[in-house]
Amino acid sequence: MKYRSIGADPNSRREVSVLALGAMLFGSVTDEKTSFAVLDRYAEAGGNFVDTSDNYAFWTDGGQGGQSEELLGRWRRSRGVGDEIVFATKLGARPLAPGTGYTDNPEGLSARTIREASERSRERLGLDRIDLLYAHIEDRTVDIRETVEGFGALVAEGAVGLLGASNHAVWRVERARAVAAAAGLPGYEVLQYQHSLLRPRTDIPDELFRDGGLGGATGELLNYLRAEPALTLVAYSPLLRGAYGRADKPLPADYDHPGTPPRLAALRAVARETGASPNQVVLAWQFGADFPVIPLVGMSSVAQLEENLAAVDLELTPEQRERLDRAH
């Protein structure tokens, strides 16, 4: 396994594996036996960066989530896992009542919610301290200062290590970081967005930031990351839920545009040259990006995990990377 640092403060900085394990469906769609087997093999291979959320997976049973955190807590206790594994979780998008969702009835990012939701997450995970806590989605009903102060208080108390934001408009991330810096409080250091080799369409009005939906890493965000090297991007759904390698997994509709076929052709050519799978090439492309990227991959079998682990040692040549970058 290979590792990279997240966080600038020596007191909270962590060394995490370059491949993060997404636990979104653990304890719900992925049964406990399989989930434990994947977690065991990931840890055995040196993986130490596990990602979840307090709302995973509310949509599977019409509930409010918590299944993933609860399963991870059971795995921790059964295996005697300590602080060698870095756990990241999120709050803000948990439905307030069964049968509702994060777009119409989210818990939000008030100071009270941040405190109460984080306490529930720590209890489910069995942790005294959450290594990395994200604001999962925006909450424009709450002043940014209140959110920043709410997260900052948890860090000051030792209940949280690092802070992150997911699915926020770039200007909102920057504003929150500026408010935190001006107040002498910790700010967001890890950003989590959907990011992959293929690029979604950009000519469709994006209602993401008004309606609270989920979205991808825009060119604006990627340029922001290049300008702020202390930040790290955790890239979720880098493999587009299997669409690169499985005929039964079509690409999402927003990837249906003239730029997709040439990038797929370049990907397949590099895969043939390296003897790797398209999935492995995509992950290797992210590992070697010109800004810090940690791909976050959800896996429902040990076989999928083994394929992804093999990508850690795949080295692309500068010429191969240039072809992948320039294809459009």
Side-chain angles (χ1 to χ4, degrees):
M1 184 56 72
K2 298 176 182 177
Y3 302 88
R4 68 162 66 243
S5 296
I6 55 173
D9 187 337
N11 295 319
S12 56
R13 182 187 302 136
R14 296 300 303 268
E15 293 292 314
V16 297
S17 49
V18 296
L19 181 69
L21 176 62
M24 182 170 70
L25 298 180
F26 287 2
S28 56
V29 175
T30 305
D31 63 67
E32 184 155 319
K33 180 180 179 181
T34 303
S35 300
F36 276 33
V38 172
L39 286 159
D40 288 343
R41 176 62 187 124
Y42 177 70
E44 179 186 50
N48 74 336
F49 194 15
V50 179
D51 182 273
T52 186
S53 173
D54 70 348
N55 73 340
Y56 293 163
F58 75 87
W59 57 91
T60 63
D61 63 2
Q64 293 174 276
Q67 302 100 307
S68 174
E69 290 182 331
E70 289 168 355
L71 180 137
L72 292 173
R74 292 194 295 273
W75 178 73
R76 285 189 68 258
R77 288 187 291 272
S78 69
R79 303 304 192 255
V81 171
D83 62 4
E84 69 274 15
I85 302 293
V86 175
F87 288 93
T89 193
K90 314 174 197 73
L91 56 79
R94 189 172 194 252
L96 288 174
T100 61
Y102 62 82
T103 57
D104 60 332
N105 195 29
E107 62 188 356
L109 296 174
S110 69
R112 177 177 177 179
T113 293
I114 289 169
R115 177 166 295 280
E116 294 178 352
S118 65
E119 289 174 353
R120 289 191 293 267
S121 287
R122 290 203 309 275
E123 182 178 354
R124 285 190 287 265
L125 289 164
L127 295 170
D128 294 326
R129 167 169 147 149
I130 296 170
D131 299 301
L132 169 59
L133 181 62
Y134 293 96
H136 200 164
I137 59 173
E138 292 186 2
D139 181 358
R140 298 198 179 184
T141 69
V142 173
D143 185 85
I144 283 180
R145 180 173 296 277
E146 179 180 346
T147 297
V148 166
E149 291 176 348
F151 279 120
L154 296 180
V155 174
E157 295 164 11
V160 171
L162 294 165
L163 299 175
S166 180
N167 306 305
H168 284 48
V170 177
W171 70 267
R172 297 274 295 180
V173 172
E174 175 59 19
R175 181 170 295 180
R177 293 180 69 226
V179 167
L185 296 171
Y188 299 139
E189 296 187 77
V190 184
L191 307 182
Q192 187 175 135
Y193 293 76
Q194 194 279 320
H195 176 55
S196 188
L197 176 69
L198 292 184
R199 301 163 176 162
R201 292 179 62 176
T202 59
D203 60 333
I204 300 173
D206 188 347
E207 299 301 320
L208 164 65
F209 304 118
R210 287 189 292 277
D211 295 341
L214 301 184
T218 62
E220 180 185 19
L221 175 66
L222 301 183
N223 286 330
Y224 179 61
L225 288 160
R226 292 185 178 100
E228 298 287 342
L231 295 175
T232 300
L233 173 65
V234 172
Y236 69 78
S237 297
L239 304 180
L240 300 180
R241 301 185 179 183
Y244 286 112
R246 291 178 53 179
D248 62 328
K249 294 284 188 177
L251 287 169
D254 53 346
Y255 290 86
D256 183 12
H257 59 80
T260 292
R263 285 183 83 79
L264 281 176
L267 171 62
R268 289 165 182 157
V270 172
R272 288 193 298 270
E273 293 166 9
T274 58
S277 70
N279 284 344
Q280 291 168 337
V281 173
V282 170
L283 294 177
W285 173 79
Q286 289 194 327
F287 295 144
D290 59 355
F291 54 89
V293 183
I294 298 174
L296 168 62
V297 187
M299 298 164 241
S300 59
S301 71
V302 173
Q304 290 177 353
L305 172 60
E306 296 292 357
E307 178 187 6
N308 297 327
L309 287 171
V312 172
D313 295 319
L314 176 62
E315 297 285 346
L316 302 180
T317 68
E319 187 273 337
Q320 289 169 335
R321 292 195 60 84
E322 184 175 9
R323 272 191 284 151
L324 292 170
D325 289 334
R326 292 185 177 275
H328 63 275

